[in-house]
Amino acid sequence: MSNLIETLNWRYATKRMNGEKVPVEKLAVILEAIQLSPSSAGMQPYTVFVIEDQEIKEQIQKVAFMQPQVAEASHLIVFASWTRITAEHLDQYINLIAETRGIPAESLDGFKTSITNGILSRPEEINAEWAARQAYIALGHGLVAAASEQIDATPMEGFDANGLDEILGLNEKGLHSVVIMTLGYRDTENDILASAKKVRRSQEELFVTI
Amino acid sequence: MSNLIETLNWRYATKRMNGEKVPVEKLAVILEAIQLSPSSAGMQPYTVFVIEDQEIKEQIQKVAFMQPQVAEASHLIVFASWTRITAEHLDQYINLIAETRGIPAESLDGFKTSITNGILSRPEEINAEWAARQAYIALGHGLVAAASEQIDATPMEGFDANGLDEILGLNEKGLHSVVIMTLGYRDTENDILASAKKVRRSQEELFVTI
């Protein structure tokens, strides 16, 4: 069995954490994996909040059905996607490509036009959903990275997104919270799921080979 | 630098592939990583098509703006999410948990009620989007797994989803194609992106630490 598969079998949606802190070097790997996640057109249309402040975690727990792992986590990662994709976002992105690759921004005019026509011209709500989906790819990267560092991570949709937006002041920043990941260490004594067998649909059910 | 970060820096959105076949043991790791991907409530509300048939790949290429990597790929992975979440899906899932963990299905009545109230009672279009997002977590797992096996992979949204649905007969199966991943080997001579520097937003831009 590959290391990766062992790693993914080790991870589970941890419902109780023991409050122990994730060391900075392990957190750094998880965040870099999130940073390196691909996204549609490469735009990374989201901002990622890395929350260690205990009071803020406890406030967020109140809009997350009081789930214990929110306050017991070492860090809470909130993926907030852009509610609108603007011409300013595109200009910043084009400049970033030009700077990174040492080429003139004008050489990217064709690419810029295709994004303007393909993405910027779509209705706002389509783009908001598009942005949210990209955040889920980054979540996938964060989850695998956490497991590879033997850090427990719980992906969570069970929270009041508007309530969380208010706590973090996301609306005024053009952001909307879409999914959370808690990071920390499993509390094996108190988490009944820690020893439960992983449930997954069989390959025969999940895959169709053509 | 961790192995994972090296791996993620190695990967890129491969636009030209050389047609070489991905060995079965490497494909197996990628598929198992997709199978092990977590999802909201654990329901895995998607079916994953693994397409090696060259004719079908070429048909799909025609609804994907003739992008070369679609036909040049060894395998084409199509993530198709459920268009509706039904009571039958939930029953199957409850039975799967009960069988996997060797517990009576009735002991899961509380969990079943919470999914019935929390997910099944929502409008169809909300659930379709919810299902699509879960497929993106699985895509994230597949991308990391491919890179860890040194297999090139390209996530793609640039295709006519209705056209692809028709080719694979997805509508009648209650499925809708949401995202594609090509698997294969980079054609370094013909892919100008093979040597291009990776572009990512800086950590200062992407992350907010609280």
Side-chain angles (χ1 to χ4, degrees), chain A residues 9 18 23 35 38-39 41 52 66 84 92 94 121-122 127 131 140 146 148 173 176 185-186 198 202:
Chain A
N9 273 307
N18 65 11
Q35 185 192 15
S39 58
E52 200 176 354
M66 288 308 287
R84 292 177 59 216
Q92 284 172 350
I94 294 291
S121 63
R122 295 186 301 200
N127 278 341
S148 79
K173 297 187 182 98
H176 178 57
Y185 294 90
R186 62 188 69 178
K198 189 182 288 302
S202 70

Side-chain angles (χ1 to χ4, degrees), chain A residues 1-207:
Chain A
M1 191 166 31
S2 86
N3 273 344
L4 179 70
I5 299 304
E6 261 177 77
T7 291
L8 295 180
N9 273 307
W10 171 83
R11 77 154 296 283
Y12 77 105
T14 309
K15 304 293 187 190
R16 297 297 307 267
M17 292 185 164
N18 65 11
E20 206 185 310
K21 284 285 155 199
V22 172
V24 282
E25 66 276 12
K26 285 176 182 278
L27 182 67
V29 171
I30 299 166
L31 297 183
E32 195 166 351
I34 289 170
Q35 185 192 15
L36 288 170
S37 175
S39 58
S40 179
M43 285 191 80
Q44 301 176 278
Y46 41 75
T47 297
V48 181
F49 289 77
V50 182
I51 301 166
E52 200 176 354
D53 185 287
Q54 192 59 29
E55 262 180 55
I56 304 283
K57 280 188 278 175
E58 283 166 17
Q59 277 183 49
I60 292 175
Q61 189 186 27
K62 287 183 190 137
V63 296
F65 306 103
M66 288 308 287
Q67 292 176 81
Q69 76 271 21
V70 175
E72 290 166 357
S74 166
H75 293 77
L76 197 63
I77 311 295
V78 176
F79 294 85
S81 56
W82 297 351
T83 51
R84 292 177 59 216
I85 315 297
T86 64
E88 202 190 332
H89 286 137
L90 180 55
D91 281 337
Q92 284 172 350
Y93 179 46
I94 294 291
N95 288 337
L96 177 64
I97 302 174
E99 273 171 39
T100 306
R101 297 193 171 150
I103 53 174
E106 297 71 41
S107 70
L108 296 161
D109 279 350
F111 179 65
K112 188 174 171 180
T113 303
S114 84
I115 293 191
T116 303
N117 296 338
I119 297 174
L120 264 66
S121 63
R122 295 186 301 200
E124 226 171 78
E125 59 276 16
I126 297 281
N127 278 341
E129 191 48 53
W130 167 82
R133 291 184 184 191
Q134 309 313 315
Y136 275 69
I137 309 178
L139 168 68
H141 279 61
L143 288 165
V144 179
S148 79
E149 294 292 314
Q150 298 275 297
I151 299 299
D152 283 302
T154 314
M156 290 176 53
E157 287 183 344
F159 60 90
D160 165 23
N162 293 327
L164 179 49
D165 288 357
E166 210 167 294
I167 292 169
L168 297 177
L170 297 188
N171 282 357
E172 47 271 43
K173 297 187 182 98
L175 299 171
H176 178 57
S177 54
V178 291
V179 69
I180 287 178
M181 176 172 73
T182 63
L183 294 176
Y185 294 90
R186 62 188 69 178
D187 177 354
T188 36
E189 262 178 47
N190 293 305
D191 191 349
I192 50 160
L193 286 179
S195 57
K197 213 171 159 196
K198 189 182 288 302
V199 176
R200 288 295 185 275
R201 293 171 62 211
S202 70
Q203 297 217 348
E204 291 68 36
E205 283 281 326
L206 191 59
F207 297 113

Side-chain angles (χ1 to χ4, degrees), chain B:
Chain B
M1 191 166 32
S2 87
N3 272 344
L4 179 70
I5 298 304
E6 262 178 77
T7 292
L8 295 179
N9 273 307
W10 171 84
R11 78 155 293 285
Y12 77 105
T14 309
K15 303 293 188 189
R16 296 297 306 268
M17 293 185 163
N18 65 12
E20 206 185 309
K21 284 285 154 199
V22 173
V24 282
E25 65 276 12
K26 286 177 183 276
L27 181 66
V29 171
I30 298 165
L31 297 183
E32 194 166 351
I34 289 170
Q35 185 191 14
L36 288 170
S37 175
S39 58
S40 180
M43 285 191 81
Q44 300 175 279
Y46 40 76
T47 297
V48 181
F49 289 77
V50 183
I51 302 167
E52 199 176 353
D53 185 288
Q54 192 59 29
E55 262 180 55
I56 304 283
K57 279 188 279 176
E58 283 166 18
Q59 277 183 49
I60 293 175
Q61 188 185 28
K62 287 184 189 135
V63 297
F65 307 102
M66 288 308 289
Q67 292 175 82
Q69 76 271 21
V70 175
E72 290 165 356
S74 166
H75 292 76
L76 197 62
I77 311 294
V78 176
F79 294 84
S81 56
W82 298 351
T83 50
R84 292 179 59 217
I85 315 297
T86 65
E88 202 190 333
H89 285 137
L90 180 53
D91 281 338
Q92 285 172 350
Y93 179 46
I94 293 291
N95 288 336
L96 177 63
I97 302 174
E99 274 171 37
T100 306
R101 296 193 170 150
I103 53 175
E106 297 71 41
S107 70
L108 296 161
D109 279 351
F111 179 64
K112 189 175 170 178
T113 302
S114 84
I115 293 192
T116 303
N117 296 338
I119 296 174
L120 263 67
S121 63
R122 295 186 301 199
E124 228 172 74
E125 59 277 14
I126 296 281
N127 278 341
E129 192 46 56
W130 166 81
R133 291 184 184 190
Q134 308 313 314
Y136 275 69
I137 309 178
L139 168 69
H141 278 61
L143 288 165
V144 179
S148 80
E149 294 291 316
Q150 298 274 296
I151 299 300
D152 283 301
T154 314
M156 290 176 53
E157 287 183 344
F159 60 90
D160 165 24
N162 293 328
L164 179 48
D165 288 357
E166 209 167 294
I167 292 169
L168 297 176
L170 297 187
N171 281 358
E172 47 272 40
K173 298 187 180 98
L175 298 172
H176 179 58
S177 55
V178 291
V179 69
I180 286 178
M181 176 172 73
T182 63
L183 293 177
Y185 293 90
R186 62 188 69 177
D187 176 353
T188 34
E189 263 178 47
N190 293 305
D191 191 349
I192 49 158
L193 286 179
S195 57
K197 213 171 159 197
K198 190 183 286 301
V199 176
R200 287 295 185 273
R201 293 171 63 211
S202 69
Q203 298 217 348
E204 292 66 37
E205 282 283 325
L206 192 59
F207 297 114
V208 176
T209 306
I210 295 175

